[in-house]
Amino acid sequence: MSESTTSSKHVSFLEYKGKYKGLLGWIFSTDHKRVGLLYLYTMLVFFSIAATLGLLMKLQMLAPGHTLMGPQTYNAMFTVHGIIMIFVIVVPGLPAVFGNFFLPLMIGAKDVAFPRLNLASWWIYVIGILVVLSSQFIGGWPDTGWTFYAPYSFQTPVNIVPALVGATIMGFSSILTGINFIVTIHRMRAPGMTWFKMPLFPWTLYATAWIQVLATPVIGITLLLTLMERLLGVGIFDPRLGGDPILYQHLFWIYSHPAVYIMILPGMGVISEIIPVFSRKSIYGYKAIVLSSLAIAFVGYFVWGHHMFTSGMSGRALYAFSFLTFLVAIPSAIKVFNWVSTMHKGSLLLQTPFYWAVSFIFVFMIGGLTGLVLGSLATNVHVHDTYFVVAHFHFIVFGGTGYSFMAAIHYWFPKMFGRMYDRSWANIGWVTFFAGFLSLYTPMFVLGLQGMPRRYYDYLPEFHAWHIFSTLGSILMIAGAAIVIINLVRSSRHGQKTSEKNPWGGKTLEWQADTPPTLENWEEVPTVTQKPYEYK
Amino acid sequence: MILGASTFVEGVDNAFMLILGISFFFLIGITLTIILFIYRYNEKRNPKATPVKDSVTLEVTWTVIPIILVLGMFYYGYVGWIPMKRPPSEGVMVTANARMWSFNFRYENGRVSDKLYVPKDTAVIVNLNALDVLHSFYIPAFRIKEDMVPGLANNRSWFEATKVGSYTIFCAEYCGLQHSYMLSEVVVMEQEDFWNWYNDPDAMVEEIPEDANLALLGRQLVQAKGCVACHSLDGSNLVGPSFAGRFGETITVITGGQEREIEYNEEYITRSIYEPDADISVGFRPGQMLSYEGEITEQEIELIVEFMKSLSEE
Ligand SMILES: [Cu+2]
Ligand SMILES: [Cu+2]
């Protein structure tokens, strides 16, 4: 359905009337910006649910023993929290929201290459979510952890089939978005935008899209094999039927490790956009950032074994995996150096997006450096499957994706909604969140070093003090998140109106489009003559 | 670091110190640099940015130095870890069996225990078995962890304890409902004490004194064997039916697909323990409880029966 027929040129994408009105005009719109916002709203809802589950778990951990809920409830909670956070929020995350919205704008295109496929991806995604949620009504919430490890996933009394089917369906959505972005980037760049004149966020989307297309099928296959085994009794992973449970872990992590880069690469892209703009300086080492993104995407395929150092697989394989894991740390380190150097001699605009970006660098460093502890064999054995890992991946995944998401939305908000948020509330929200985040997750490193295993509903009294600290942090963090979200939601309707095209003084193309952008973004597609971030 | 009591501790903790040391150095250094830049180059203080040219030398430097550092970390990690993978051929041999949600340890002379008793300064080689799902054998004080994988033969872990004392064993791999209660202890003894315990003939055939409280012994037994992870003592149903108020009742079970009435007596209890899937209590799932054939003697079953009787009398 082509909506452009009825829309006049200067009506913003938020307001134009297509074939359908109201809500239908959104859920059937193929406009990349509306699709992006559909993802944003869906994620907002599910993030709130999963974060609430997280808070309830932290409250249960406030004291040892049965305080708030029983073990079955707790186990189901960490499973559902994990499934929603991973499959519904962070994997689609930045590409689905900001990639959809800004990729075409940043490369000077009118839409993505396949707008209908793009809308279909959102529908598939929603259907996947609904299937997962249906488990509540057919056999109870899954309790296997989001990893669905065999053979427990075959023996648990609850029905994990809906969760597996739902996750597989969401995988298709991810693959389709990936294909769409790859084609868009190859075919639809504005005249003059050669590969190395392309901004960095599109570059990271490009690297990510390849991982989505190449790695996601593996998880699809794995989950389907699990279904075959659970429903038809074909012995693949369950030793009772002659299967091999370690094979399951290999297949699972062959996808899920690269998936970590699906989560983090676009975040790095966002930070690489924001730092130069708020430093009024060209990004330091543009090519190094591009190449390191591609290197991460590539080497990231070969390190999955670091999730399995204690799984019982052969020793020789282990040190190869450990070695490669250390190598994959290098490109990330390079990026940090580049960001910091970009600030050097800049003229730093101290605004909310910049605060989020800088705190991203901080939590990302902690996440990355503790990753070295996990990559090294001797230390991994001690902290594997403990709270240390929980802390590490919340720093990387939640810190990485979450902070860059927040940075991105505070950066692009005026462009997206044609309104400005309340800046002081935004800053208060950031400080609260940041303080809460650190006090929530830092104690978990200590707990892990002390030997507290993860996925424990109850714990020995010696771990109590740090758990209290962590729970208090979680309350603070949720308060911070609430301030940020309420401020944004309110401002998207009542914030100060603005039609200023370029409030931050950015140099990339999206800042040349109308605020908010019109249906097809440009009256005339811009021509690119210089590199991105050319500050004189 | 936390308390350490095995020969691996030094190698592992060295790797920790090296990696954490370098990490803190970079974290603090880079953070201070950022703060300094924010102070020195903020818009007010520095209204005009100065363009800086990329320097290839600098970029090569900050690529090469981290590579060297991580290679060092890799090496230390490897060195601290390799002894764990090379168990000696001589030593005390133990087979650790994990099931939902308890461990037990069987020694070469047939002695079985719920706690792992080991001598100081002697290699102990542990064969890791899992009877149902994945578990993981984790002793933080020894810095060892290895998954227990059902169906995987020759999966071993080993250690040499250096300090007398008892240390917690955790199950580190998620294994369902009572995962967090799947704990045990490793008790490190002086060598002489250990061998006395090991060879103690009385321990093999446990002589029960005449005036012993049999029900109490039974209670201790079901707790030590991990039965209480699935069977409550207060009437509530967990994974399996409660032990309370059942003895002497007539209950309904499913035998070979047929429902039938049966009396809950010593014979039924014995069959339930040795062949749990022969009769399934209505409302519960087969395949959850594994047979304790060879792990619980008939004499011990008598104690359990006494205990169940006492629960019904209350
Ligand atoms: Cu990984
Ligand atoms: Cu466990």
Side-chain angles (χ1 to χ4, degrees):
Chain A
M1 77 219 82
S2 159
E3 287 128 321
S4 53
T5 42
T6 46
S7 76
S8 76
K9 285 216 161 131
H10 277 287
V11 179
S12 99
F13 81 99
L14 292 164
E15 278 154 13
Y16 74 82
K17 301 259 181 315
K19 200 148 117 202
Y20 303 100
K21 287 200 199 63
L23 186 62
L24 293 184
W26 282 80
I27 61 176
F28 291 120
S29 167
T30 56
D31 175 32
H32 66 100
K33 301 179 286 301
R34 287 198 170 186
V35 175
L37 289 186
L38 286 178
Y39 275 107
L40 178 65
Y41 297 135
T42 321
M43 284 179 198
L44 186 63
V45 171
F46 284 96
F47 176 78
S48 311
I49 297 174
T52 311
L53 293 179
L55 181 64
L56 290 172
M57 287 190 283
K58 288 313 302 176
L59 292 176
Q60 159 65 27
M61 297 312 268
L62 184 56
H66 181 138
T67 50
L68 204 62
M69 59 185 87
Q72 186 64 36
T73 316
Y74 185 83
N75 295 349
M77 274 195 184
F78 69 65
T79 305
V80 176
H81 169 85
I83 293 176
I84 295 184
M85 285 300 193
I86 297 287
F87 293 110
V88 182
I89 317 281
V90 283
V91 168
L94 289 150
V97 178
F98 298 106
N100 265 320
F101 201 111
F102 286 104
L103 172 62
L105 283 163
M106 292 178 90
I107 62 171
K110 292 192 163 173
D111 205 315
V112 291
F114 309 111
R116 290 187 195 182
L117 191 65
N118 198 23
L119 176 63
S121 307
W122 179 76
W123 275 99
I124 294 172
Y125 165 76
V126 171
I127 292 170
I129 300 177
L130 294 178
V131 172
V132 171
L133 294 184
S134 72
S135 46
Q136 166 61 359
F137 310 104
I138 37 182
W141 294 115
D143 69 341
T144 55
W146 76 278
T147 47
F148 300 111
Y149 267 17
Y152 183 70
S153 52
F154 302 112
Q155 292 185 15
T156 167
V158 302
N159 185 2
I160 61 158
V161 172
L164 292 175
V165 176
T168 314
I169 294 178
M170 281 187 252
F172 278 100
S173 158
S174 189
I175 296 173
L176 295 179
T177 304
I179 293 177
N180 217 335
F181 284 5
I182 292 175
V183 178
T184 308
I185 290 171
H186 271 273
R187 308 291 306 160
M188 298 176 68
R189 279 170 288 133
M193 184 178 278
T194 54
W195 280 98
F196 284 110
K197 289 204 176 95
M198 189 162 75
L200 290 163
F201 182 54
W203 259 117
T204 52
L205 288 174
Y206 182 70
T208 309
W210 276 111
I211 312 181
Q212 286 177 311
V213 171
L214 294 179
T216 318
V218 181
I219 189 79
I221 293 165
T222 314
L223 297 179
L224 286 178
L225 288 174
T226 311
L227 280 173
M228 272 170 63
E229 182 149 359
R230 180 128 183 163
L231 298 176
L232 309 175
V234 184
I236 300 160
F237 305 125
D238 188 348
R240 291 187 190 189
L241 302 170
D244 180 358
I246 299 181
L247 176 65
Y248 175 86
Q249 297 177 28
H250 279 292
L251 289 173
F252 183 83
W253 290 112
I254 287 175
Y255 163 74
S256 296
H257 188 80
V260 176
Y261 300 118
I262 298 183
M263 306 169 195
I264 193 70
L265 274 170
M268 295 170 156
V270 166
I271 302 305
S272 308
E273 295 295 333
I274 292 178
I275 297 280
V277 173
F278 285 77
S279 304
R280 302 272 176 261
K281 254 185 83 209
S282 178
I283 185 97
Y284 193 93
Y286 170 89
K287 278 209 174 141
I289 296 188
V290 169
L291 295 179
S292 60
S293 298
L294 296 177
I296 289 178
F298 181 71
V299 185
Y301 277 106
F302 305 102
V303 300
W304 78 85
H306 64 214
H307 297 265
M308 302 167 59
F309 284 165
T310 66
S311 68
M313 75 159 133
S314 103
R316 209 157 292 146
L318 294 183
Y319 49 82
F321 279 125
S322 169
F323 185 75
L324 289 167
T325 302
F326 276 113
L327 288 189
V328 85
I330 302 295
S332 302
I334 293 177
K335 284 194 180 178
V336 170
F337 296 139
N338 281 315
W339 292 325
V340 177
S341 306
T342 305
M343 292 181 213
H344 180 224
K345 296 198 175 167
S347 172
L348 305 178
L349 195 58
L350 304 183
Q351 298 277 1
T352 323
F354 180 75
Y355 291 139
W356 281 108
V358 169
S359 47
F360 167 94
I361 300 179
F362 182 72
V363 295
F364 179 70
M365 280 195 292
I366 299 184
L369 292 167
T370 52
L372 299 173
V373 174
L374 290 163
S376 137
L377 291 161
T379 49
N380 175 287
V381 169
H382 180 58
V383 290
H384 174 72
D385 264 333
T386 68
Y387 264 56
F388 192 92
V389 176
V390 180
H392 160 73
F393 72 70
H394 279 92
F395 266 92
I396 281 284
V397 173
F398 188 23
T401 316
Y403 282 68
S404 51
F405 200 100
M406 293 291 202
I409 199 154
H410 286 95
Y411 176 53
W412 280 315
F413 190 92
K415 177 63 68 186
M416 295 165 84
F417 295 98
R419 289 175 187 274
M420 193 55 196
Y421 47 84
D422 183 312
R423 296 182 196 216
S424 36
W425 276 113
N427 289 342
I428 295 171
W430 165 74
V431 174
T432 320
F433 183 93
F434 191 36
F437 181 93
L438 294 180
S439 24
L440 164 55
Y441 297 115
T442 317
M444 291 189 180
F445 285 122
V446 184
L447 284 167
L449 289 173
Q450 289 175 343
M452 160 94 199
R454 65 191 281 208
R455 293 176 172 170
Y456 263 33
Y457 153 77
D458 197 354
Y459 52 85
L460 299 177
E462 67 219 50
F463 302 122
H464 195 179
W466 289 109
H467 272 299
I468 298 180
F469 198 136
S470 168
T471 301
L472 295 180
S474 72
I475 297 170
L476 193 61
M477 189 188 81
I478 293 285
I483 296 175
V484 171
I485 291 173
I486 292 171
N487 183 29
L488 291 177
V489 171
R490 230 191 75 85
S491 305
S492 71
R493 309 169 142 262
H494 309 292
Q496 167 117 51
K497 268 203 156 146
T498 169
S499 57
E500 199 185 333
K501 280 189 176 177
N502 194 355
W504 312 114
K507 296 280 175 181
T508 38
L509 286 184
E510 79 272 29
W511 301 110
Q512 294 178 24
D514 285 342
T515 292
T518 53
L519 180 62
E520 291 195 326
N521 305 341
W522 322 98
E523 263 168 75
E524 199 180 323
V525 171
T527 307
V528 178
T529 50
Q530 40 173 250
K531 288 202 199 142
Y533 328 109
E534 279 295 301
Y535 286 91
K536 290 282 148 32
Chain B
M1 285 299 301
I2 60 151
L3 169 88
S6 82
T7 51
F8 300 139
V9 173
E10 200 192 330
V12 174
D13 287 6
N14 281 345
F16 265 117
M17 288 308 151
L18 178 86
I19 299 174
L20 291 178
I22 294 178
S23 298
F24 272 113
F25 175 79
F26 274 92
L27 180 67
I28 295 171
I30 296 174
T31 308
L32 288 180
T33 313
I34 294 178
I35 293 174
L36 179 77
F37 284 177
I38 292 179
Y39 170 76
R40 175 68 190 78
Y41 300 117
N42 72 62
E43 208 183 4
K44 290 214 187 78
R45 210 169 257 274
N46 193 34
K48 185 88 190 73
T50 324
V52 176
K53 278 241 161 340
D54 290 6
S55 145
V56 179
T57 338
L58 186 60
E59 293 195 62
V60 171
T61 319
W62 72 37
T63 310
V64 172
I65 292 180
I67 291 183
I68 296 171
L69 291 176
V70 297
L71 289 181
M73 296 182 193
F74 166 75
Y75 177 74
Y76 268 79
Y78 174 78
V79 167
W81 165 84
I82 200 73
M84 300 184 196
K85 285 282 147 181
R86 305 219 166 116
S89 46
E90 296 278 288
V92 177
M93 297 283 186
V94 192
T95 301
N97 287 310
R99 63 165 80 213
M100 288 173 175
W101 289 284
S102 63
F103 294 100
N104 79 55
F105 304 96
R106 181 184 295 271
Y107 293 80
E108 267 185 315
N109 68 352
R111 186 140 193 195
V112 181
S113 163
D114 324 300
K115 289 186 186 171
L116 178 56
Y117 292 93
V118 298
K120 191 176 157 233
D121 297 328
T122 311
V124 177
I125 296 138
V126 191
N127 267 310
L128 302 172
N129 272 335
L131 304 177
D132 38 36
V133 300
L134 295 176
H135 302 278
S136 190
F137 181 70
Y138 177 31
I139 309 179
F142 294 175
R143 311 282 188 273
I144 56 166
K145 180 183 291 124
E146 189 70 33
D147 287 3
M148 310 173 86
V149 185
L152 182 66
N154 288 325
N155 188 26
R156 2 169 104 170
S157 178
W158 81 280
F159 59 83
E160 190 178 315
T162 53
K163 280 195 197 111
V164 171
S166 51
Y167 311 96
T168 316
I169 305 176
F170 294 92
C171 171
E173 182 65 61
Y174 177 67
C175 56
L177 190 68
Q178 309 275 41
H179 166 57
S180 59
Y181 297 105
M182 191 164 163
L183 311 171
S184 179
E185 243 169 68
V186 51
V187 181
V188 182
M189 311 203 252
E190 293 295 351
Q191 301 199 359
E192 206 185 290
D193 297 343
F194 172 78
W195 291 113
N196 285 343
W197 173 86
Y198 188 77
N199 295 318
D200 182 4
D202 290 347
M204 310 296 292
V205 226
E206 254 184 70
E207 206 60 59
I208 299 165
E210 266 179 37
D211 55 344
N213 179 343
L214 299 183
L216 184 65
L217 290 178
R219 174 189 277 269
Q220 287 162 352
L221 196 68
V222 295
Q223 273 160 351
K225 295 280 177 196
C227 315
V228 287
C230 298
H231 299 285
S232 83
L233 308 181
D234 63 3
S236 59
N237 287 329
L238 303 173
V239 179
S242 177
F243 284 159
R246 295 280 270 185
F247 196 88
E249 305 283 303
T250 304
I251 60 166
T252 319
V253 296
I254 299 170
T255 311
Q258 296 292 315
E259 267 193 28
R260 62 176 181 134
E261 307 261 292
I262 193 168
E263 201 196 323
Y264 195 103
N265 54 17
E266 180 156 0
E267 187 199 334
Y268 173 70
I269 293 174
T270 312
R271 194 164 57 248
S272 292
I273 292 174
Y274 288 158
E275 305 166 60
D277 286 345
D279 307 305
I280 305 297
S281 269
V282 169
F284 295 90
R285 278 162 37 99
Q288 297 295 103
M289 180 170 162
L290 304 175
S291 168
Y292 285 82
E293 186 103 56
E295 269 179 50
I296 294 186
T297 60
E298 299 202 358
Q299 193 192 14
E300 286 172 324
I301 290 185
E302 270 170 39
L303 298 177
I304 295 176
V305 169
E306 284 307 316
F307 172 55
M308 290 188 184
K309 269 191 202 154
S310 75
L311 279 180
S312 298
E313 281 157 11
E314 272 159 22

